[in-house]
Amino acid sequence: MAHGNGVFYDKRLTSQSLWLAYNGSSDGNALQIATGGYVATNAVATLDATHALFGWSDVTTYYASVKLLTQANKTLTGGTTLVLDNTVACKDVRVYKIDDTSTFFCIWRRLSSPEKVAACVVSVAGDYSLSKGTTIVCNDGNDATNGTACVINGSLAVIAYQDVANSNYGAARTVSISGTTLTENAELTYNSARTDVGKMYMLSPTKVFINFDKDTSNFNTSAAVLSISGTTLSVGSLNKWYGDSTTLRAMACNSAFNKSGTFGITAYHSNFTTQPGTLVTVPFSISGTTVSTGPTTNISTNCSNNGGRAHT
């Protein structure tokens, strides 16, 4: 997420301390967030040109937490930590800005047994203090894991997750947003097989792109378009674009799309077990709810499976 000459980013140092840096220039500072922590994709979202919300869970408490970060003159400072969830150990805190508001949609994994996916709205006040709305346990409170989200507008988001309560199938649903109140709508099972959910991207106010790992006796990575009508979701045909092996599936997929939502590029790590592997890009064309892929391009043959980050 870029602003001016700088980029907010996260990294793990050899000390396993968790840092977030504003790398505006060679003399930009690094801010230590915690002595150890876990960061998911979509962990940082911009509020304005000088503020961003950052989500993580630390290795001491495993609480799901967020903090507002401020950048001024290449110096990054952090505000007071807001704990989103201290009921159980948590991971994979993801934050998404809600349109032109001072609010964020936050989603995270509860590492209970079995796991759950939880979400809430975080608000930023005029003095930049943080507060949270009521937490909902997604999937109607049933077991789920690997949650991800995409904010459509100020009143609607889409969430996707592995529906542990329903044979680990791939499921998604819209969530209505009213102030800081979240309400789940009807569930769509978009993949009737074990599904490790990847990431979602809004193509338009009525369409969302999703990448996911689909296990139907052999792993493969697939993509689909979810259509939105009111608060109801439907799915187009699935495009199985990589895999068909217990060891070959795309890892660490991240995508970027043009403004019209008709063309995008996904970068991914090409082998589930081999380290290092190959960083590969593949183009996607979107026509209606049909996803088509073009030829792949190898970018690097020395890539970890945490690599493959394509950003707009």
Side-chain angles (χ1 to χ4, degrees), residues 4-71:
N5 296 319
V7 176
F8 286 110
Y9 69 98
D10 62 81
K11 62 180 180 178
R12 296 292 295 271
L13 302 184
T14 55
S15 64
Q16 298 302 294
S17 293
L18 179 62
W19 297 73
L20 195 99
Y22 180 77
N23 196 24
S25 69
S26 59
D27 59 349
N29 79 308
L31 174 69
Q32 184 173 1
I33 301 296
T35 55
Y38 296 94
V39 182
T41 54
N42 296 108
V44 187
T46 303
L47 175 64
D48 53 37
T50 56
H51 296 88
L53 191 70
F54 174 64
W56 83 100
S57 60
D58 66 66
V59 295
T60 303
T61 64
Y62 284 87
Y63 293 168
S65 304
V66 293
K67 182 187 292 285
L68 193 68
L69 306 165
T70 302
Q71 183 281 133

